[in-house]
Amino acid sequence: MKSWPFPTVPTIPARHGNPVPLKLYDTADQRIREVSFHNPEGPAGMYVCGITPYDSTHLGHAATYLTFDLVYRALLDNGRSVHFVQNVTDVDDPLFERAERDNQDWRELGEEQTNLFRSDMEQLGIIPPHDFMSVSETVNEIIDIVGRLLDQGKAYVIDGEYPDIYAPITATEQFGYESNFNREDMMEVFAERGGDPERPGKRDELDALIWKAEREGEPSWEAPFGRGRPGWHIECAAIAANRLGARFDIQGGGSDLVFPHHEFSAAHIEAAYDVDRMAGHYVHAGMIGLDGTKMSKSLGNLVFIHKLTANGHEPSAIRVGVYSQHYRSDRDWSDEVLAESEQRLASWRDAVQQPGDLKHAEGLVRTIRERIADDLDSPGALRAVDAWAENTRGGDNDPQAAELVVSALDALFGISLR
């Protein structure tokens, strides 16, 4: 499946200072530590879970992808190429339910919403994945990993009318390490996040569906173990493992994916390929609310990217608004946040007309790099830009200073001052 165009990402000349190694909070270890690389000579491997394309891209989606765009840009600044993989979950119940409700073919709905997602990501200047893969085009890969788990005795078939296949939580000794959830925590969210604890015949309530046997009226594919379709977690496991290997550097997504999705995606890969840890870092972005209330389709309070831009709000202002609060926090969005972001952007653009001397500009770039490297402290970095804009006007008005600040904000934040 095609991705979207790669934006122009400037390079900060070495004469203006050195990059700072990136440190990120790891959900599994529950601490901030420097990102290390499984393959020191190769690109950083990063997998970020994508959309289920049954509705338009909203600000909650965008905030997650803007978080990992910041990670990508920080890695590039450190001279590290990135192999970025992202999926589109176009084989899933919400898509089928929406398609049935609207009397629309599920493939058409998925393609329509994926195209809109591409457009939104391109407008926001988000660096695209190297591999942008839909589940429907990778079903054979998923069948292979399901078969591998069955062959190793790390999956089982339920008897009855529908011989669904499940992966037991005992398939790996380390199950639970990624989320740090205890059983009570797991049970509390399992059903509301796609699990089926009450399914008869399961060995354990928390065991995860990896292959759903064919049901009438649902899409299905031929497999050696019977026609059906994949479960949610095994989809990402197969797509990631087949492009990044069983061990890669960063697994990312929203905080609502910590359990069960990321726990089981890791467990499936670790069981199938006999590794003790899938990702070096598990990184999760907080949720976005609107005027103090969590954004959700059921509440009808979603802020759509294409509507913001259609109403004249430029992508750089949206970026400033999202980055004005820390990525790991559950954040709020409002008209006031957007208005303040537009005012900040205007003040920075005024400042580059009177940028002061090069020394102050280089100091700003150093501070931005240090703040981003410290677990993506984007609020701190943007406050540094505010201080520079307020305090360094006049003086030498060195055009090199203006160019450096413009290039640095574009390179590190995707924010355009031009």
Side-chain angles (χ1 to χ4, degrees):
M1 187 167 64
K2 70 175 183 178
S3 194
W4 56 92
F6 202 102
T8 300
V9 180
T11 300
I12 301 170
R15 66 180 180 275
H16 295 309
N18 299 316
V20 181
L22 178 62
K23 295 185 294 183
L24 292 171
Y25 182 86
D26 173 56
T27 302
D29 288 353
Q30 297 186 307
R31 64 187 178 93
I32 297 170
R33 55 181 176 78
E34 187 172 323
V35 175
S36 59
F37 304 102
H38 180 61
N39 179 2
E41 304 303 319
M46 181 168 72
Y47 186 91
V48 179
C49 290
I51 60 165
T52 300
Y54 68 97
D55 210 340
S56 303
T57 313
H58 60 72
L59 194 71
H61 296 133
T64 294
Y65 302 125
L66 284 167
T67 293
F68 292 96
D69 190 63
L70 206 58
V71 172
Y72 199 141
R73 290 168 183 271
L75 293 172
L76 288 179
D77 186 49
N78 275 273
R80 174 71 59 169
S81 62
V82 182
H83 186 172
F84 173 26
V85 181
Q86 188 173 83
N87 72 301
V88 172
T89 308
D90 64 344
V91 178
D92 202 17
D93 289 332
L95 175 66
F96 301 149
E97 291 164 3
R98 164 79 185 273
E100 183 177 7
R101 186 199 75 185
D102 295 350
N103 195 28
Q104 185 177 9
D105 184 272
W106 64 272
R107 296 174 186 83
E108 292 178 358
L109 176 60
E111 183 176 1
E112 171 189 295
Q113 294 302 322
T114 301
N115 285 337
L116 183 55
F117 173 75
R118 287 190 190 97
S119 175
D120 288 342
M121 296 298 99
E122 183 178 357
Q123 283 202 61
L124 287 173
I126 289 175
I127 298 174
H130 179 269
D131 295 303
F132 188 49
M133 308 302 302
S134 69
V135 169
S136 61
E137 66 183 334
T138 55
V139 171
N140 286 338
E141 299 176 23
I142 299 164
I143 290 171
D144 287 345
I145 195 172
V146 172
R148 188 183 184 102
L149 289 168
L150 283 168
D151 291 344
Q152 295 177 3
K154 297 173 180 177
Y156 63 93
V157 183
I158 286 185
D159 294 330
E161 180 182 4
Y162 298 114
D164 299 332
I165 302 175
Y166 282 81
I169 59 174
T170 55
T172 63
E173 294 181 358
Q174 65 270 23
F175 183 82
Y177 81 92
E178 181 272 335
S179 64
N180 288 288
F181 280 23
N182 59 33
R183 187 175 179 90
E184 183 180 354
D185 295 333
M186 293 177 181
M187 288 298 298
E188 185 176 340
V189 300
F190 187 58
E192 69 184 51
R193 295 180 182 175
D196 55 354
E198 297 180 357
R199 172 71 159 92
K202 291 174 64 173
R203 296 176 184 172
D204 189 288
E205 295 167 299
L206 290 170
D207 290 350
L209 176 72
I210 58 174
W211 189 258
K212 185 177 183 182
E214 182 179 23
R215 267 75 159 172
E216 184 178 355
E218 293 186 0
S220 62
W221 287 262
E222 291 287 354
F225 32 80
R227 284 189 66 88
R229 62 181 173 91
W232 179 24
H233 317 306
I234 198 72
E235 296 170 342
C236 282
I239 292 171
N242 279 291
R243 283 152 193 84
L244 298 174
R247 180 73 166 84
F248 53 91
D249 301 313
I250 297 171
Q251 159 81 319
S255 59
D256 56 337
L257 300 182
V258 172
F259 187 88
H261 185 52
H262 284 174
E263 190 74 68
F264 274 108
S265 296
H268 295 336
I269 285 179
E270 290 158 5
Y273 298 98
D274 195 25
V275 296
D276 61 1
R277 180 172 172 131
M278 179 189 74
H281 263 80
Y282 296 93
V283 182
H284 296 96
M287 298 290 100
I288 300 289
L290 177 66
D291 296 320
T293 303
K294 180 182 176 182
M295 277 190 203
S296 73
K297 183 174 174 56
S298 60
L299 294 175
N301 66 341
L302 301 179
V303 176
F304 294 109
I305 299 301
H306 68 277
K307 291 186 177 179
L308 285 175
T309 56
N311 288 331
H313 300 292
E314 62 178 297
S316 286
I318 298 171
R319 278 183 173 263
V320 173
V322 170
Y323 292 145
S324 67
Q325 301 173 75
H326 194 265
Y327 81 96
R328 279 197 287 120
S329 64
D330 288 338
R331 294 157 281 169
D332 197 44
W333 184 266
S334 65
D335 289 342
E336 289 74 17
V337 169
L338 183 56
E340 180 181 338
S341 301
E342 290 172 333
Q343 290 170 4
R344 293 176 90 175
L345 192 59
S347 74
W348 299 345
R349 286 173 174 159
D350 285 344
V352 295
Q353 304 306 311
Q354 297 178 302
D357 60 45
L358 184 59
K359 180 180 177 181
H360 283 104
E362 289 176 336
L364 172 61
V365 173
R366 182 170 59 252
T367 300
I368 291 174
R369 280 171 154 166
E370 289 170 351
R371 291 297 84 230
I372 291 176
D374 186 11
D375 194 31
L376 308 182
D377 178 16
S378 57
L382 298 189
R383 286 194 296 271
V385 183
D386 289 336
W388 171 85
E390 180 66 26
N391 299 320
T392 63
R393 299 184 189 187
D396 295 338
N397 285 333
D398 188 338
Q400 288 189 76
E403 182 58 33
L404 176 58
V405 172
V406 169
S407 295
L409 282 179
D410 194 355
L412 301 172
F413 275 109
I415 293 170
S416 175
L417 299 187
R418 299 189 189 278

